[in-house]
Amino acid sequence: MAVDEPSSPEIFKPRTDKREYKRIVLRNSLEVLLVSDPDTDKCAAAMNVDVGSFSDPDGLKGLAHFLEHMLFYASEKYPLEDSYSKYITQNGGSTNAFTAWEHTNYYFDVNPDAYEEALDRFAQFFIKPLMSPDATMREIKAVDSAESEGKMAVDEPSSPEIFKPRTDKREYKRIVLRNSLEVLLVSDPDTDKCAAAMNVDVGSFSDPDGHEGLAHFLEHMLFYASEKYPLEDSYSKYITQNGGSTNAFTAWEHTNYYFDVNADAYEEALDRFAQFFIKPLMSPDATMREIKAVDSEHQKNLLSDVWGNSQLQKHLSSPGHPYSKFNTGSWETLEVRPRAKGQDTRQELIKFYHGNYSANLMQLVVYAKESIEVIESLVGTKFQDIPSSGRNPIKFPGQPCLPEHLQILVRTVPIEEGHRLSFAWPITPGIHYYQEGPCRWSTSLWAGEMDWTTEFSFFKVSITLTDSGHEHMQDVVGLLFKYIKLLQESEHMQDVVGLLFKYIKLLQESGVCEWIFNEFYPPKDWLAASSLPSKFNPSVIQLILNELTPHNIRIFWESKNFDGQTNSVEPWYGTAYSVEQISAADIEQWIHASPNAHLHLPAENVFIPTDLSIKEAKEKVIYPTLVKKSACSRLWYKPDTLFSCPKALVKMDFNCPWANHSPESDVFTEIFTMLLADYLNEYAYYAQVAGLDYSIKHTGSGFGVTVNGYNHKLKILLETVIDKIAKFTVKADRFYEMVIKDYENYKFQQPYQQAMSYCSLVLLDQSWPWTEQVEVLPHLEPDDLSKFVPVLLSRTFLECYVAGNIEAKEAESMINHVEEVLFQGTHPVCRPIFPSQHLTNRVIKLSKGRSYSFLANGLNPKDENSALVHYIQVHRDDFVTNVKLELFALMAKQPAFHQLRSVEQLGYITVLMKRNYFGIHGVQFVIQSTAKGPGRLDQRVEAFMEMFYSKLREMTAEEFRGNVNALIDVKLEKHKNLKEESMFYWREIADGTFKFNRKECEIAALKQLTQKELFDFVDEYIKVGAPRRKVLSTRCNNNGHVVIIENSQFYCYGLVAKINSKI
């Protein structure tokens, strides 16, 4: 009865699953999955039919759902009405069905001894069902009754089982509300934060012509207010004051809104969130202000190579495809051009909202502490009123690149220094083969699939070139294609990928993977998506490789050397470029002429773990403990007692007294860390594939090494890094490449980043201005670095932290090995530092009641943005004072954003945050603006502080206690993973505060805090004119803004002479 040679592919299942599976196809083409389970006490069956409510005829909405009801009644073989359901029930079973958009599903379970007849009765639904006139009329009434009773979910209680890691204890369920809103419910009783995300199947591809950026603008507008909650910005304020965060983003074909919040505030937060999609308010005043905010966001991006190059690639595509659009939006596209045509942007916005925001085009995820049943009821209540137009999703078929857009070489002039080659091939979208993950197997190219939809995709490769590489661009292109050909033709490629697949299966079976919800995938794979490919299919990988040919290549070549040699300008970001057609024959010549580089497939990966077992901690250690101390090092250790994950993390700070004692040594130390990381690149691919990561960073006291990932082979990677440090030599060619360009590109930082750097420059001991560092660069030679590194390492102390799935003796063994390599032998690389050389973190102590300003011009004359960092220094680390400052920051954060950013439109980047310099606490405003100069920004900050102080004084006792409880909830939030926990404890070690029980102590302080104590604190330290208020304003000014100097303040121009008093 089955088709010959069914040969079903091996079905992936958990290692512990003893059931037997087989796929067959009957002669009538019915596809069947057979499951044998000798241990079961219930038998079951389910039939899926590939037709659903989307197929309802016009004028007969609900017909598919009605048919689902009718099939249960009777059949020619079993004509007694309702006899099927009665048989199932009498034999200990249950049965049901549900109608979805594109399919209908029928299912039952029953006692094993009644299974054969139950299966026969079930089969008759689909062979010869009976649908009598009387039953038809009665069931129409039943369907109508269910609707009128206000059922909130379609009769679809059993969502397909969602694949999840074995260690995931959360409960999941998929439902569809009556308005066709699809929902994933997640119940996690252990969570201390609840969250929600709404995806809307409309994005920037749907922007109307002449209103570029309208979808993105609508995303901004929905945050403002709704009919139910009309107070402007009250949603964001509620989320912030209850320990949460919220944001959104607009993509090409969808827009996503999300938030998290403390659990006790979740129900109201969810209600406020739902109102975005039920009855939002879009006032004329808010509309005009938010157009300016969108434009400010665009202005911020104008001097970014990432944004400019992305738009250029879209610009050089078919103008008839939405891929070519400019989608951020600006004052020009949202105000100037529409007004010139007599169009009202607000009316267009409302029209766009009502035309595109429909419940059947949305997917919601809700994550909460309560049971699935409670969450389902809550979701139905909150979201069932979202209107549904029932229209189909908009599709954008076709390819963005026509033949004339392929086989091109585009020369572009970047903003930053450096040379880069980027390659892009149109390929079959990987989403079509998400279980095989063909593009994920190609990471040996340091490349991947980007800019994709379900209709099109690009495979991209990006290569940063040296000056020599720039001069030999054709050789680089030739070598890349040679390597692609090697992958295409190699008989061993399948072996390499097969080994990776075995590793992936090991991770799956161990349940150590991270998951995300993704609406592009079938419900059963919503969590896993393509994060772990489950099918090894060499033919699919070969399919993608075969699309990477010279016939469909787009090459983008960036270099400042092309300045003055281009003939076109991209209209939105002003990127200068020129286009040259190149043929496949040209590339074949480059391939033939390129050098023989002995290319090969990746070698055996020594970092791939084979032991993912969990080690039981002998003691339930709550905080890090000091397990080793010597003249060379100090080791803090914290076993994993929370996450049950086979991972570990090692941090090592190399405290070197010679590292930063002058601008030259500071530059040398930076170059050393850059070159060290560069030399380790040969291991980067292997480490990444094996789930390991490392970083080398210049620090205020020397440099730091971090290694983290699966613990089994982590020691090998750490030893590799230490060996490179011990045997460090300078490669002259890389010295020149790494140094000059990196320092030159500092001036292209955003002005707010420059202002923050100036703030740190003024406050921190042994920090040096960029101008002095650049001044010494021309005089530095590779030989100078070769002489400096031995001096740098000659006196060293290692501050170490080891945490995770690792035993104390293993941690000590790691550090002992490091000491043996660096500190021992006849000619040791390092020697212990002298007691007097142990570095102390020192911060400038500002004088009470004084305000200081540091003024500097922006380093990039083309950048029209100015920036301000308004820093208020408060106190040395103290639990009680800490929580007062944190409470003030929590209460002021959202009002500051609303007033300065939303109302006054000072700039897209507007934030109030706490600042901690090595245990010296303060609060700061950061604003970047094209509208106002930094002096005016400073005045507006002071005006806000006065306005907020008045509102703070009006706060009720209930509001005060609510804010205190919200901050307590934030501090009670558990660490989400080993890395987050480790960074928390490492901060205590690095700052020298060592208060590992900080959360508990600060919670205790909050519980004792009174409203009067908070007011007294603000009166003494924070409010304008407070006797102990200490302010430092660092101002980064562009050429177009007026410099404002107030007589009452002490100013520093250019380089500030640091204040002598130290904390």
PDB file of all heavy atoms in Angstrom, residues 91-112:
ATOM      1  N   ASN A  91     -14.015   4.885  25.708  1.00  0.00           N
ATOM      2  CA  ASN A  91     -12.789   4.088  25.754  1.00  0.00           C
ATOM      3  C   ASN A  91     -11.593   4.903  26.261  1.00  0.00           C
ATOM      4  O   ASN A  91     -10.459   4.716  25.820  1.00  0.00           O
ATOM      5  CB  ASN A  91     -12.497   3.484  24.380  1.00  0.00           C
ATOM      6  CG  ASN A  91     -13.422   2.339  24.049  1.00  0.00           C
ATOM      7  OD1 ASN A  91     -13.212   1.212  24.507  1.00  0.00           O
ATOM      8  ND2 ASN A  91     -14.467   2.644  23.266  1.00  0.00           N
ATOM      9  N   GLY A  92     -11.899   5.809  27.190  1.00  0.00           N
ATOM     10  CA  GLY A  92     -10.851   6.521  27.922  1.00  0.00           C
ATOM     11  C   GLY A  92     -10.067   7.545  27.133  1.00  0.00           C
ATOM     12  O   GLY A  92      -8.946   7.892  27.499  1.00  0.00           O
ATOM     13  N   GLY A  93     -10.658   8.032  26.042  1.00  0.00           N
ATOM     14  CA  GLY A  93      -9.902   8.947  25.185  1.00  0.00           C
ATOM     15  C   GLY A  93     -10.471  10.338  25.109  1.00  0.00           C
ATOM     16  O   GLY A  93     -11.409  10.701  25.824  1.00  0.00           O
ATOM     17  N   SER A  94      -9.891  11.137  24.221  1.00  0.00           N
ATOM     18  CA  SER A  94     -10.362  12.500  23.957  1.00  0.00           C
ATOM     19  C   SER A  94     -10.114  12.803  22.498  1.00  0.00           C
ATOM     20  O   SER A  94      -9.244  12.204  21.840  1.00  0.00           O
ATOM     21  CB  SER A  94      -9.626  13.511  24.848  1.00  0.00           C
ATOM     22  OG  SER A  94      -8.231  13.497  24.559  1.00  0.00           O
ATOM     23  N   THR A  95     -10.860  13.765  21.982  1.00  0.00           N
ATOM     24  CA  THR A  95     -10.717  14.134  20.574  1.00  0.00           C
ATOM     25  C   THR A  95     -11.029  15.600  20.400  1.00  0.00           C
ATOM     26  O   THR A  95     -11.803  16.186  21.172  1.00  0.00           O
ATOM     27  CB  THR A  95     -11.646  13.282  19.694  1.00  0.00           C
ATOM     28  OG1 THR A  95     -11.413  13.606  18.320  1.00  0.00           O
ATOM     29  CG2 THR A  95     -13.117  13.517  20.039  1.00  0.00           C
ATOM     30  N   ASN A  96     -10.422  16.202  19.396  1.00  0.00           N
ATOM     31  CA  ASN A  96     -10.664  17.616  19.121  1.00  0.00           C
ATOM     32  C   ASN A  96     -10.121  17.942  17.745  1.00  0.00           C
ATOM     33  O   ASN A  96      -9.597  17.062  17.045  1.00  0.00           O
ATOM     34  CB  ASN A  96     -10.012  18.509  20.187  1.00  0.00           C
ATOM     35  CG  ASN A  96     -10.826  19.765  20.460  1.00  0.00           C
ATOM     36  OD1 ASN A  96     -11.448  20.324  19.553  1.00  0.00           O
ATOM     37  ND2 ASN A  96     -10.828  20.207  21.709  1.00  0.00           N
ATOM     38  N   ALA A  97     -10.225  19.214  17.387  1.00  0.00           N
ATOM     39  CA  ALA A  97      -9.718  19.676  16.099  1.00  0.00           C
ATOM     40  C   ALA A  97      -9.550  21.184  16.168  1.00  0.00           C
ATOM     41  O   ALA A  97     -10.071  21.840  17.080  1.00  0.00           O
ATOM     42  CB  ALA A  97     -10.676  19.296  14.975  1.00  0.00           C
ATOM     43  N   PHE A  98      -8.804  21.723  15.235  1.00  0.00           N
ATOM     44  CA  PHE A  98      -8.690  23.187  15.148  1.00  0.00           C
ATOM     45  C   PHE A  98      -8.452  23.602  13.704  1.00  0.00           C
ATOM     46  O   PHE A  98      -7.905  22.854  12.899  1.00  0.00           O
ATOM     47  CB  PHE A  98      -7.582  23.731  16.056  1.00  0.00           C
ATOM     48  CG  PHE A  98      -6.190  23.309  15.685  1.00  0.00           C
ATOM     49  CD1 PHE A  98      -5.459  24.017  14.735  1.00  0.00           C
ATOM     50  CD2 PHE A  98      -5.588  22.221  16.310  1.00  0.00           C
ATOM     51  CE1 PHE A  98      -4.164  23.639  14.412  1.00  0.00           C
ATOM     52  CE2 PHE A  98      -4.297  21.838  15.997  1.00  0.00           C
ATOM     53  CZ  PHE A  98      -3.572  22.540  15.035  1.00  0.00           C
ATOM     54  N   THR A  99      -8.903  24.807  13.418  1.00  0.00           N
ATOM     55  CA  THR A  99      -8.731  25.386  12.086  1.00  0.00           C
ATOM     56  C   THR A  99      -7.766  26.552  12.184  1.00  0.00           C
ATOM     57  O   THR A  99      -8.001  27.491  12.947  1.00  0.00           O
ATOM     58  CB  THR A  99     -10.071  25.873  11.518  1.00  0.00           C
ATOM     59  OG1 THR A  99     -10.987  24.787  11.515  1.00  0.00           O
ATOM     60  CG2 THR A  99      -9.895  26.413  10.103  1.00  0.00           C
ATOM     61  N   ALA A 100      -6.691  26.493  11.444  1.00  0.00           N
ATOM     62  CA  ALA A 100      -5.726  27.596  11.368  1.00  0.00           C
ATOM     63  C   ALA A 100      -5.881  28.274  10.007  1.00  0.00           C
ATOM     64  O   ALA A 100      -6.805  27.981   9.242  1.00  0.00           O
ATOM     65  CB  ALA A 100      -4.320  27.072  11.577  1.00  0.00           C
ATOM     66  N   TRP A 101      -4.950  29.168   9.702  1.00  0.00           N
ATOM     67  CA  TRP A 101      -5.069  29.933   8.452  1.00  0.00           C
ATOM     68  C   TRP A 101      -4.906  29.046   7.217  1.00  0.00           C
ATOM     69  O   TRP A 101      -5.663  29.129   6.268  1.00  0.00           O
ATOM     70  CB  TRP A 101      -3.996  31.027   8.397  1.00  0.00           C
ATOM     71  CG  TRP A 101      -4.156  32.078   9.428  1.00  0.00           C
ATOM     72  CD1 TRP A 101      -5.296  32.442  10.077  1.00  0.00           C
ATOM     73  CD2 TRP A 101      -3.117  32.907   9.947  1.00  0.00           C
ATOM     74  NE1 TRP A 101      -5.042  33.445  10.969  1.00  0.00           N
ATOM     75  CE2 TRP A 101      -3.716  33.769  10.910  1.00  0.00           C
ATOM     76  CE3 TRP A 101      -1.759  33.038   9.695  1.00  0.00           C
ATOM     77  CZ2 TRP A 101      -2.986  34.704  11.606  1.00  0.00           C
ATOM     78  CZ3 TRP A 101      -1.022  33.981  10.389  1.00  0.00           C
ATOM     79  CH2 TRP A 101      -1.639  34.806  11.335  1.00  0.00           C
ATOM     80  N   GLU A 102      -3.891  28.185   7.271  1.00  0.00           N
ATOM     81  CA  GLU A 102      -3.568  27.425   6.062  1.00  0.00           C
ATOM     82  C   GLU A 102      -3.672  25.916   6.270  1.00  0.00           C
ATOM     83  O   GLU A 102      -3.259  25.149   5.401  1.00  0.00           O
ATOM     84  CB  GLU A 102      -2.148  27.781   5.583  1.00  0.00           C
ATOM     85  CG  GLU A 102      -2.010  29.241   5.171  1.00  0.00           C
ATOM     86  CD  GLU A 102      -0.628  29.587   4.662  1.00  0.00           C
ATOM     87  OE1 GLU A 102       0.357  29.185   5.324  1.00  0.00           O
ATOM     88  OE2 GLU A 102      -0.534  30.224   3.609  1.00  0.00           O
ATOM     89  N   HIS A 103      -4.189  25.485   7.389  1.00  0.00           N
ATOM     90  CA  HIS A 103      -4.376  24.056   7.602  1.00  0.00           C
ATOM     91  C   HIS A 103      -5.449  23.817   8.662  1.00  0.00           C
ATOM     92  O   HIS A 103      -5.782  24.711   9.450  1.00  0.00           O
ATOM     93  CB  HIS A 103      -3.057  23.380   7.993  1.00  0.00           C
ATOM     94  CG  HIS A 103      -2.549  23.771   9.343  1.00  0.00           C
ATOM     95  ND1 HIS A 103      -1.745  24.855   9.540  1.00  0.00           N
ATOM     96  CD2 HIS A 103      -2.740  23.218  10.569  1.00  0.00           C
ATOM     97  CE1 HIS A 103      -1.449  24.953  10.827  1.00  0.00           C
ATOM     98  NE2 HIS A 103      -2.042  23.981  11.472  1.00  0.00           N
ATOM     99  N   THR A 104      -5.986  22.576   8.659  1.00  0.00           N
ATOM    100  CA  THR A 104      -6.951  22.136   9.656  1.00  0.00           C
ATOM    101  C   THR A 104      -6.448  20.819  10.224  1.00  0.00           C
ATOM    102  O   THR A 104      -5.953  19.967   9.473  1.00  0.00           O
ATOM    103  CB  THR A 104      -8.340  21.945   9.035  1.00  0.00           C
ATOM    104  OG1 THR A 104      -8.734  23.149   8.370  1.00  0.00           O
ATOM    105  CG2 THR A 104      -9.372  21.607  10.109  1.00  0.00           C
ATOM    106  N   ASN A 105      -6.545  20.657  11.553  1.00  0.00           N
ATOM    107  CA  ASN A 105      -5.966  19.494  12.200  1.00  0.00           C
ATOM    108  C   ASN A 105      -7.007  18.787  13.062  1.00  0.00           C
ATOM    109  O   ASN A 105      -7.716  19.426  13.843  1.00  0.00           O
ATOM    110  CB  ASN A 105      -4.769  19.926  13.064  1.00  0.00           C
ATOM    111  CG  ASN A 105      -3.914  18.760  13.475  1.00  0.00           C
ATOM    112  OD1 ASN A 105      -4.280  18.015  14.368  1.00  0.00           O
ATOM    113  ND2 ASN A 105      -2.769  18.614  12.832  1.00  0.00           N
ATOM    114  N   TYR A 106      -7.098  17.439  12.870  1.00  0.00           N
ATOM    115  CA  TYR A 106      -8.018  16.595  13.639  1.00  0.00           C
ATOM    116  C   TYR A 106      -7.182  15.582  14.423  1.00  0.00           C
ATOM    117  O   TYR A 106      -6.213  15.034  13.870  1.00  0.00           O
ATOM    118  CB  TYR A 106      -8.966  15.843  12.708  1.00  0.00           C
ATOM    119  CG  TYR A 106      -9.751  16.722  11.781  1.00  0.00           C
ATOM    120  CD1 TYR A 106      -9.182  17.226  10.610  1.00  0.00           C
ATOM    121  CD2 TYR A 106     -11.075  17.059  12.054  1.00  0.00           C
ATOM    122  CE1 TYR A 106      -9.897  18.035   9.742  1.00  0.00           C
ATOM    123  CE2 TYR A 106     -11.809  17.861  11.192  1.00  0.00           C
ATOM    124  CZ  TYR A 106     -11.216  18.347  10.035  1.00  0.00           C
ATOM    125  OH  TYR A 106     -11.938  19.143   9.183  1.00  0.00           O
ATOM    126  N   TYR A 107      -7.553  15.260  15.667  1.00  0.00           N
ATOM    127  CA  TYR A 107      -6.735  14.349  16.438  1.00  0.00           C
ATOM    128  C   TYR A 107      -7.552  13.677  17.540  1.00  0.00           C
ATOM    129  O   TYR A 107      -8.629  14.139  17.918  1.00  0.00           O
ATOM    130  CB  TYR A 107      -5.541  15.091  17.058  1.00  0.00           C
ATOM    131  CG  TYR A 107      -5.923  16.319  17.853  1.00  0.00           C
ATOM    132  CD1 TYR A 107      -6.123  16.249  19.231  1.00  0.00           C
ATOM    133  CD2 TYR A 107      -6.081  17.560  17.230  1.00  0.00           C
ATOM    134  CE1 TYR A 107      -6.472  17.370  19.960  1.00  0.00           C
ATOM    135  CE2 TYR A 107      -6.435  18.688  17.950  1.00  0.00           C
ATOM    136  CZ  TYR A 107      -6.624  18.587  19.316  1.00  0.00           C
ATOM    137  OH  TYR A 107      -6.981  19.692  20.041  1.00  0.00           O
ATOM    138  N   PHE A 108      -7.026  12.538  18.023  1.00  0.00           N
ATOM    139  CA  PHE A 108      -7.665  11.840  19.130  1.00  0.00           C
ATOM    140  C   PHE A 108      -6.617  10.997  19.846  1.00  0.00           C
ATOM    141  O   PHE A 108      -5.536  10.713  19.303  1.00  0.00           O
ATOM    142  CB  PHE A 108      -8.811  10.951  18.637  1.00  0.00           C
ATOM    143  CG  PHE A 108      -8.358   9.678  17.967  1.00  0.00           C
ATOM    144  CD1 PHE A 108      -8.113   8.526  18.697  1.00  0.00           C
ATOM    145  CD2 PHE A 108      -8.164   9.636  16.586  1.00  0.00           C
ATOM    146  CE1 PHE A 108      -7.691   7.348  18.076  1.00  0.00           C
ATOM    147  CE2 PHE A 108      -7.748   8.473  15.958  1.00  0.00           C
ATOM    148  CZ  PHE A 108      -7.501   7.320  16.706  1.00  0.00           C
ATOM    149  N   ASP A 109      -6.937  10.591  21.087  1.00  0.00           N
ATOM    150  CA  ASP A 109      -6.201   9.534  21.772  1.00  0.00           C
ATOM    151  C   ASP A 109      -7.221   8.603  22.409  1.00  0.00           C
ATOM    152  O   ASP A 109      -8.369   8.999  22.672  1.00  0.00           O
ATOM    153  CB  ASP A 109      -5.230  10.109  22.814  1.00  0.00           C
ATOM    154  CG  ASP A 109      -5.940  10.852  23.921  1.00  0.00           C
ATOM    155  OD1 ASP A 109      -6.550  10.191  24.794  1.00  0.00           O
ATOM    156  OD2 ASP A 109      -5.878  12.102  23.932  1.00  0.00           O
ATOM    157  N   VAL A 110      -6.802   7.340  22.657  1.00  0.00           N
ATOM    158  CA  VAL A 110      -7.748   6.344  23.128  1.00  0.00           C
ATOM    159  C   VAL A 110      -6.978   5.184  23.756  1.00  0.00           C
ATOM    160  O   VAL A 110      -5.771   5.026  23.506  1.00  0.00           O
ATOM    161  CB  VAL A 110      -8.626   5.841  21.944  1.00  0.00           C
ATOM    162  CG1 VAL A 110      -7.814   4.942  21.007  1.00  0.00           C
ATOM    163  CG2 VAL A 110      -9.910   5.178  22.418  1.00  0.00           C
ATOM    164  N   ASN A 111      -7.661   4.370  24.550  1.00  0.00           N
ATOM    165  CA  ASN A 111      -7.022   3.198  25.135  1.00  0.00           C
ATOM    166  C   ASN A 111      -6.562   2.244  24.025  1.00  0.00           C
ATOM    167  O   ASN A 111      -7.246   2.094  23.003  1.00  0.00           O
ATOM    168  CB  ASN A 111      -7.991   2.460  26.069  1.00  0.00           C
ATOM    169  CG  ASN A 111      -8.319   3.280  27.314  1.00  0.00           C
ATOM    170  OD1 ASN A 111      -7.540   4.144  27.714  1.00  0.00           O
ATOM    171  ND2 ASN A 111      -9.478   3.018  27.902  1.00  0.00           N
ATOM    172  N   PRO A 112      -5.429   1.562  24.229  1.00  0.00           N
ATOM    173  CA  PRO A 112      -4.866   0.724  23.160  1.00  0.00           C
ATOM    174  C   PRO A 112      -5.814  -0.354  22.643  1.00  0.00           C
ATOM    175  O   PRO A 112      -5.830  -0.648  21.442  1.00  0.00           O
ATOM    176  CB  PRO A 112      -3.631   0.105  23.821  1.00  0.00           C
ATOM    177  CG  PRO A 112      -3.229   1.090  24.861  1.00  0.00           C
ATOM    178  CD  PRO A 112      -4.516   1.639  25.389  1.00  0.00           C
TER     179      PRO A 112
END
